[in-house]
Amino acid sequence: MKIEALDVSVRAGGRTILEPVSLTIDRPGLVGLIGPNGAGKSTLMRVLAGLHPPDTGAVRYDGLTVDRIGRDVLGRRLAYLAQSGRLHWPLKVERVVALGRLPHRERPGPAADCDRAAIEAAMRATHISALRNRPASTLSGGERMRVLLARALAVDADVLLADEPIAALDPYHQLEVLDLLGDLAARGKTVVVVLHDLSLAYRYCDRLILMSGGRMLADDAPGAVLTDANLEQTYRVFAHRVRLAGEEHIVPWVRLGTVAPDEADQTGGTRPWKRT
Amino acid sequence: MTSRVAATRLRAADIPYPLLVGALGALSAILFLVSLVVGYVPLDPVAAVSDIIAGRDSVGALVMVELRLPRALLGLMVGFSLGATGAALQGLLRNPLADPGVIGVSGAAALGAVIAFYSGLAGFLSIGLALGGLAGAGLATALLLLLARQGAGTTALILSGVAIGSLAGALTALALNLSPSPYAVMEVVFWLMGSLADRSLDHVLLAAPLMAVGWILLLGAGRALDGLSLGEETARSLGFDVMRLRLRIVVASAFAIGSAVAVAGAIGFVGLVVPHVLRPLVGHQPGPLVLVSGLGGAVLTLAADILVRVLPTHPELKLGVVTAIIGAPFLFSLLWRMRREMD
C-alpha cells in the first residue's frame, strides 16, 4: 500500500507540533523515523496511521483518504503499535495477540483457522508461545512489549507502523525485534519504526526520516541522513564511525557543547566526562 | 509473590463461553419458574396454567397472569438490563468500578417518577410513575447526547453523567422536602428503594421494547469493547470508531437503565457487582462479558426477588435493599483485593 502525506501539519494547545511535512512511503522496506525527544515523531506516526486528523494537508492510502478507504479496511491493511502499551484487563497473552484479528472478523466467537494460523505465527515470531496462558498483566515490561508487537503482527497487514517497539527491551530482544522487522521488510511489507538507538537505526534501516522540532530535516538513505552536521544540529552529539566486519557503524560518542566540536573527534577515552 | 497469587487466580477459571452462557441461561430459566411458583397466595401452578390455557377465569389463573408473571418477567428483564449495562459501561470506561449510575440516567428516571407522583399522574394512571421515569430518562439522555455530539471524550461524558445524576438527586430531595404530606414522602421513598411487587403486564409491555433496543445495541458492541482493551488509539487502528461506540453504549444504557428504573425503581449494586464477579469466568474479555453479565444480572435479581418473598419480614423487604445488602460486601471484598494487588 502506498501512503502519501501531503503538507500535513498538526497544532495543539496553540503550538505547532508538526510543521507541514510531505512524504511518500510506497515501497517495501524498513523505514526508521528518528529525532530527539519532542521532535514530532509520534505525532507524525499517528497522522500516518490515520489516527490523528492533520490540521492542514491530507494523508492518502493508495490515493484514498481514511474516510474513503474506510477505517475498517485500513484496519486490515495497516497495523499500528502504540508507544504506550496499555492493557486495561488482565487478558491471557494468547487473547491479546488474538485482538489483532478483530479487523478480519465479523463477530466475536471462536477464531477461524486463518486467524489461528496468524496468531500462532505472530507468537512464534516474537518467541512468546510459552507465555500464551499467562495473564499479560503479570509479564515484565519487555515481555509485554513483545506481546503487543505480536498483536500488531497478527493483523498481517501490508504496512506496520511501530512507535518505539524496542525502547523497553534488552539487547538480545532489541536485535530479535529488529531482525524480525527486517525480515518482514524483506518479505515485501512496509515497516515504519520510531527508533532512538542511532547505531541500530543506521544498521537496520533502508531509509531514515530525521525529525527535529516538528520539522522533517532529512529523508534519505541512512548514510546520507546521519551526517556529522545533521547529528550536531539535531541531537547535539558527535558520533564515531567505526568499521566492523567490513561495514561502517556509528557510535554516538560525546555531547557537543561540553567539548568544542573540533575537539570532539579527538576524545578517545571511554568515559569522556572523566577526562582531565 | 502477589502477582504469582493473582496469576493463579486469574488462570484458574476459564470456562468455555457457550457452556457458561448455557448454564446461566438455564439458571435464570429455573429461577423464572420458581418466581412463578413462589408467592403469598397458596396456589397450584399446574392447575393455574391449565386454567390459563383453557381460558378459565379462576383465581389461580388471575394471580398467575396479573401478579406473578409480570413480576417474574420484570425480574428477568430488569436484571438483564442492569447486568449487561454494567458490563458494557465498565468495558467502555475500562474501569471495574463503573456502574449504570455513572451516566446519570437512573437518577433522572427516579426524578421523573417522583415528579409524576406529585403531579398526580401516578394516581390517575397505573403506569404513570413509569411514564414519568421514562420522561426523566429521555431528557437526561438527550442532554448527554448533546454533550457527546460536541466531541466530548469519555471522561467529559462521565463527568456530565455524574453532574446530571447529582442534579437529579438534589431535585428529588427538594421534591421530598417540599412534600405537603408525610405519607406521600414515605410512598416515594419506598418506591425509590426499588421493587418488582404489584407491577402489571402494562409495565412489562411498556419497558420491553425500550429494553430490547438497549440490549441489541449493547450485545452488538462486544467486538469493539474487546478492541478497546488496548486503549482507544489501538482500537481505532483496528478499525473501530471509538466515538460511535461511545454514543452507542450511552444510548443503549439510557434505554435499558432508564426503562428499568422507570418500572422497578432504583436497584443498586447488580450492575456493579455482577460483571465483576463473572469477569474472570470469561478470561476478562469485555465483549463476551456483556451477555454473560446480563444473564448473571437476571439470575441475581430473580433470586433476590424470590428471597424477598420467602423471608418472613413484614412489610416485604424492598428488592433494592436486598441487592444492596448482598452487593455491598462484594464491593468491599473487591476493594480489599484491589488494595492487595496494588501493594
Side-chain angles (χ1 to χ4, degrees):
Chain A
M1 186 168 61
K2 178 180 179 182
I3 304 178
E4 265 175 306
L6 192 66
D7 283 327
V8 290
S9 74
V10 172
R11 292 180 61 79
R15 217 166 57 86
T16 302
I17 297 179
L18 194 64
E19 305 269 0
V21 168
S22 295
L23 64 98
T24 305
I25 296 168
D26 59 351
R27 74 185 69 154
L30 187 55
V31 182
L33 190 51
I34 57 171
N37 296 121
K41 304 182 295 292
S42 291
T43 305
L44 180 57
M45 283 292 256
R46 282 202 291 271
V47 170
L48 290 177
L51 299 174
H52 194 305
D55 290 305
T56 66
V59 181
R60 291 175 187 279
Y61 307 89
D62 282 341
L64 301 171
T65 59
V66 188
D67 295 332
R68 290 290 301 281
I69 196 170
R71 196 167 280 290
D72 46 343
V73 174
L74 195 61
R76 287 193 284 273
R77 304 192 55 189
L78 183 150
Y80 172 77
L81 177 61
Q83 185 180 1
S84 68
R86 285 202 63 188
L87 177 67
H88 294 279
W89 305 109
L91 299 175
K92 280 198 300 191
V93 163
E94 197 177 14
R95 292 233 169 87
V96 174
V97 178
L99 292 175
R101 298 308 295 170
L102 282 175
H104 300 273
R105 292 164 59 190
E106 292 299 309
R107 52 189 69 253
D113 287 344
C114 65
D115 292 326
R116 279 252 58 93
I119 293 165
E120 291 300 326
M123 290 201 294
R124 264 199 313 277
T126 49
H127 294 113
I128 55 164
S129 303
L131 304 174
R132 66 171 70 230
N133 285 321
R134 285 265 299 276
S137 52
T138 64
L139 302 177
S140 73
E143 287 170 331
R144 184 186 300 211
M145 196 63 231
R146 284 187 287 145
V147 170
L148 294 174
L149 175 63
R151 196 286 302 161
L153 293 178
V155 178
D156 200 17
D158 307 336
V159 181
L160 170 64
L161 304 181
D163 198 346
E164 292 196 30
I166 64 167
L169 303 182
D170 58 36
Y172 180 91
H173 290 110
Q174 287 191 337
L175 294 174
E176 180 189 74
V177 166
L178 285 174
D179 282 337
L180 175 67
L181 297 181
D183 262 7
L184 284 177
R187 283 193 282 125
K189 308 261 182 187
T190 306
V191 182
V192 184
V193 58
V194 174
L195 290 172
H196 273 305
D197 189 316
L198 297 178
S199 305
L200 292 175
Y202 188 80
R203 205 174 132 193
Y204 276 91
C205 295
D206 305 312
R207 167 182 169 189
L208 288 179
I209 296 169
L210 175 64
M211 310 265 310
S212 182
R215 250 181 279 261
M216 189 172 83
L217 294 185
D219 174 6
D220 210 330
V225 170
L226 292 179
T227 59
D228 287 347
N230 276 342
L231 285 174
E232 181 183 341
Q233 192 192 340
T234 56
Y235 285 95
R236 293 183 296 139
V237 297
F238 168 81
H240 274 302
R241 283 152 209 285
V242 292
R243 289 198 77 79
L244 289 172
E247 280 180 50
E248 191 186 62
H249 295 282
I250 73 164
V251 185
W253 197 253
V254 284
R255 287 176 291 150
L256 295 171
T258 56
V259 289
D262 57 341
E263 200 186 328
D265 55 355
Q266 307 298 317
T267 56
T270 50
R271 295 179 175 180
W273 66 90
K274 284 205 166 165
R275 284 183 322 125
T276 48
Chain B
M1 192 59 199
T2 339
S3 70
R4 182 95 162 263
V5 173
T8 340
R9 205 191 61 235
L10 294 171
R11 220 180 317 168
D14 204 3
I15 301 171
Y17 181 67
L19 188 68
L20 186 61
V21 170
L24 285 169
L27 195 54
S28 31
I30 291 168
L31 287 170
F32 178 81
L33 292 177
V34 172
S35 182
L36 288 178
V37 174
V38 172
Y40 298 105
V41 186
L43 152 108
D44 178 0
V46 180
V49 170
S50 61
D51 282 347
I52 295 168
I53 293 167
R56 282 191 295 270
D57 271 349
S58 69
V59 177
L62 215 62
V63 168
M64 194 58 102
V65 173
E66 297 295 325
L67 296 175
R68 301 223 181 137
L69 187 62
R71 189 164 184 164
L73 280 173
L74 283 178
L76 205 62
M77 289 158 50
V78 169
F80 191 92
S81 297
L82 292 170
T85 308
L89 282 170
Q90 291 181 5
L92 176 71
L93 305 178
R94 286 153 280 153
N95 186 337
L97 290 178
D99 90 328
V102 292
I103 57 166
V105 173
S106 40
L111 174 65
V114 170
I115 290 173
F117 184 83
Y118 282 119
S119 67
L121 181 66
F124 171 73
L125 203 67
S126 73
I127 54 167
L129 278 181
L131 288 177
L134 285 182
L139 264 174
T141 312
L143 202 60
L144 270 177
L145 284 186
L146 210 66
L147 290 162
R149 279 181 65 92
Q150 286 169 353
T154 304
T155 314
L157 205 60
I158 293 319
L159 286 176
S160 340
V162 171
I164 291 172
S166 39
L167 178 64
L171 291 176
T172 306
L174 180 70
L176 292 176
N177 199 167
L178 295 178
S179 166
S181 126
Y183 296 107
V185 172
M186 242 176 67
E187 203 158 329
V188 169
V189 168
F190 273 127
W191 185 85
L192 285 176
M193 287 178 186
S195 170
L196 298 174
D198 306 325
R199 304 300 196 266
S200 68
L201 277 178
D202 289 343
H203 287 97
V204 175
L205 293 177
L206 183 71
L210 297 169
M211 285 186 181
V213 171
W215 297 347
I216 290 167
L217 288 173
L218 287 176
L219 292 173
R223 232 165 52 91
L225 287 175
D226 279 342
L228 211 51
S229 307
L230 295 173
E232 295 195 0
E233 216 164 55
T234 304
R236 289 175 61 214
S237 82
L238 287 168
F240 298 108
D241 186 335
V242 174
M243 189 157 136
R244 237 178 51 197
L245 175 70
R246 213 147 46 203
L247 277 178
R248 177 189 185 123
I249 289 185
V250 166
V251 169
S253 307
F255 270 92
I257 291 305
S259 43
V261 174
V263 292
I267 297 170
F269 282 97
V270 176
L272 174 65
V273 167
V274 168
H276 201 81
V277 169
L278 295 176
R279 180 169 290 117
L281 303 185
V282 291
H284 297 260
Q285 300 174 96
L289 184 62
V290 177
L291 175 61
V292 166
S293 176
L295 293 171
V299 167
L300 178 60
T301 309
L302 281 168
D305 191 47
I306 291 167
L307 187 69
V308 155
R309 281 177 280 173
V310 172
L311 285 177
T313 50
H314 191 80
E316 176 181 301
L317 286 182
K318 293 292 177 188
L319 184 57
V321 176
V322 172
T323 56
I325 286 175
I326 300 173
F330 269 116
L331 185 61
F332 274 117
S333 75
L334 152 68
L335 291 172
W336 184 254
R337 257 181 6 215
M338 279 177 67
R339 189 195 61 96
R340 223 177 40 198
E341 273 161 25
M342 276 173 207
D343 285 346

